[in-house]
Amino acid sequence: MQSNSPQVLITKGEDLEFGQVVKGNLKRPEITLEAENAAWVKITAPRYEELEIVLELPEELTLAQHQIPVSIQASYANSNTATLKTAKESATEFPSGYATFHIPVSVRKSINSNSQRGPSMATNPNATSDVYLFFHGSAGPASLNIPSGLYSGNIFISVSLRNP
Amino acid sequence: MKFIKLFALLFLLPSLGFSQIGSSVQISVSATVVSESPVEIITITNMVIDTEEIIENEIFISPLNNPNAGLFQIIGMPNSQIRINYNKNVTILSEDNTGSVRVNYELSYYTERIQTASYAFSTDEQVLEFDETGIYYIWVGGNINLNNAVSGSYSGQFSIEIEYI
């Protein structure tokens, strides 16, 4: 079950809905990072901490015992930007082939401190920042001999504070 | 979003409002697999040949602006690409086979039924992409050569082939 971690709040934005995939057609519907329907979650956490993020990305979407392939790229933005749009513009892609990542909650340097970890006298130790995770990609192709219908899968995201 | 707020209220009291407290979340990924639906072709008006427009044994009907151009509508899968082929040069015999007219078809297309906004087909083979409406209007005009024509009744067909690519 979910563990309760009050210092890390996750808000889910969009799911990843690719729309129609036509059987036997080589064209694969795509959602780009910039698209309005790219999936995202927002993680609100203490600004001077580091996050451990575990991602599980599906490689197929399923209906009963049938599948179609899906290709998903994940990226993150931790520049403490103001809007979803500017977060997308500053996003960095997660390298593929790994499931666990460590990233600082905010890469914005504190004026009064040499270190990004730990509060200084002039900063608020209870300050939080938002980290965005984005997901985009493409679905298909679908072969002619599978049934029509809704094919689905899930992206699993676990986030926790990385304690020293 | 409504769904997420309701969920949060049930599980997050007495904590914060609209976020899902916890360290994990799932994003649903989905796609709807469908069969290819055929392209529908509907004739709206036939091309009209007005003999008063004959100049030196030829009539030219511009698909871009002549109201006598023929018009048909095609309906297909939104956001899909199609290739259109048609017989550009056709000879039509008179009813009693004594004369013939030669037609060199010219076509234009637009997503709405506004002829003067339409774009000319560039070659015999045209590739188009449907937008979200899945509709195109296609005007049919052309050059009609009457050198071998005799008085009489002529009736011809314009044939077009459309496939998804």
Side-chain angles (χ1 to χ4, degrees):
Chain A
M1 294 295 286
Q2 276 185 0
S3 61
N4 216 344
S5 167
Q7 287 186 289
V8 175
L9 302 181
I10 305 181
T11 308
K12 189 168 85 164
E14 297 280 330
D15 285 314
L16 198 56
E17 291 166 6
F18 286 101
Q20 287 192 344
V21 178
V22 179
K23 282 190 266 190
N25 194 314
L26 288 177
K27 188 171 170 186
R28 302 164 60 204
E30 189 190 348
I31 298 177
T32 60
L33 173 60
E34 297 76 24
E36 282 201 9
N37 57 348
W40 60 270
V41 299
K42 183 174 77 172
I43 303 162
T44 304
R47 183 173 299 170
Y48 304 103
E49 297 295 336
E50 204 173 52
L51 298 176
E52 177 166 289
I53 300 175
V54 181
L55 296 180
E56 198 181 307
L57 305 177
E59 292 180 348
E60 283 157 347
L61 303 181
T62 306
L63 172 64
Q65 65 269 47
H66 306 281
Q67 298 98 28
I68 60 171
V70 69
S71 168
I72 299 175
Q73 284 84 54
S75 47
Y76 67 93
N78 60 349
S79 307
N80 206 23
T81 56
T83 65
L84 191 66
K85 183 167 175 286
T86 53
K88 282 189 184 182
E89 286 164 5
S90 68
T92 306
E93 214 171 270
F94 281 114
S96 58
Y98 298 92
T100 304
F101 305 94
H102 298 132
I103 60 171
V105 174
S106 173
V107 292
R108 196 147 23 117
K109 288 198 175 115
S110 159
I111 300 169
N112 298 306
S113 167
N114 288 329
S115 157
Q116 291 180 47
R117 301 216 39 217
S120 73
M121 293 288 287
T123 56
N124 177 7
N126 295 321
T128 61
S129 275
D130 294 334
V131 175
Y132 285 93
L133 303 183
F134 298 107
F135 303 91
H136 69 281
S138 60
S143 58
L144 283 169
N145 56 5
I146 61 175
S148 298
L150 184 69
Y151 285 66
S152 60
N154 283 298
I155 299 171
F156 296 98
I157 305 162
S158 292
V159 184
S160 54
L161 290 181
R162 195 170 172 228
N163 291 318
Chain B
M1 282 311 280
K2 244 195 203 173
F3 174 77
I4 290 178
K5 284 184 186 173
L6 278 173
F7 181 80
L9 279 173
L10 286 173
F11 287 87
L12 294 182
L13 294 174
S15 299
L16 304 178
F18 303 105
S19 304
Q20 184 175 348
I21 287 187
S23 62
S24 63
V25 75
Q26 281 179 39
I27 287 179
S28 164
V29 184
S30 62
T32 306
V33 171
V34 298
S35 294
E36 186 176 271
S37 59
V39 177
E40 279 181 65
I41 307 175
I42 301 165
T43 302
I44 298 177
T45 52
N46 289 305
M47 186 162 73
V48 170
I49 300 191
D50 183 352
T51 49
E52 291 186 14
E53 290 187 15
I54 299 175
I55 301 173
E56 293 186 7
N57 265 354
E58 288 198 344
I59 301 175
F60 177 63
I61 300 175
S62 169
L64 303 172
N65 54 43
N66 193 317
N68 287 336
L71 170 63
F72 58 93
Q73 182 190 51
I74 60 175
I75 305 172
M77 295 189 295
N79 304 313
S80 61
Q81 275 195 333
I82 51 171
R83 179 187 293 124
I84 301 179
N85 280 306
Y86 61 101
N87 269 339
K88 198 163 163 53
N89 300 306
V90 169
T91 299
I92 301 173
L93 298 177
S94 64
E95 208 173 30
D96 60 4
N97 287 347
T98 57
S100 64
V101 300
R102 270 196 340 270
V103 185
N104 196 330
Y105 287 110
E106 285 188 20
L107 271 52
S108 67
Y109 65 92
Y110 196 57
T111 49
E112 292 174 55
R113 193 174 163 172
I114 305 170
Q115 186 179 16
T116 48
S118 64
Y119 301 100
F121 273 48
S122 52
T123 58
D124 287 22
E125 183 183 283
Q126 175 75 44
V127 169
L128 294 179
E129 186 166 315
F130 284 114
D131 60 12
E132 310 80 49
T133 64
I135 291 174
Y136 267 106
Y137 291 91
I138 298 186
W139 287 266
V140 182
N143 197 67
I144 299 148
N145 185 298
L146 302 163
N147 281 337
N148 296 329
V150 301
S151 304
S153 168
Y154 293 80
S155 155
Q157 288 215 325
F158 172 74
S159 77
I160 192 169
E161 194 180 84
I162 305 177
E163 55 175 346
Y164 289 108
I165 56 172

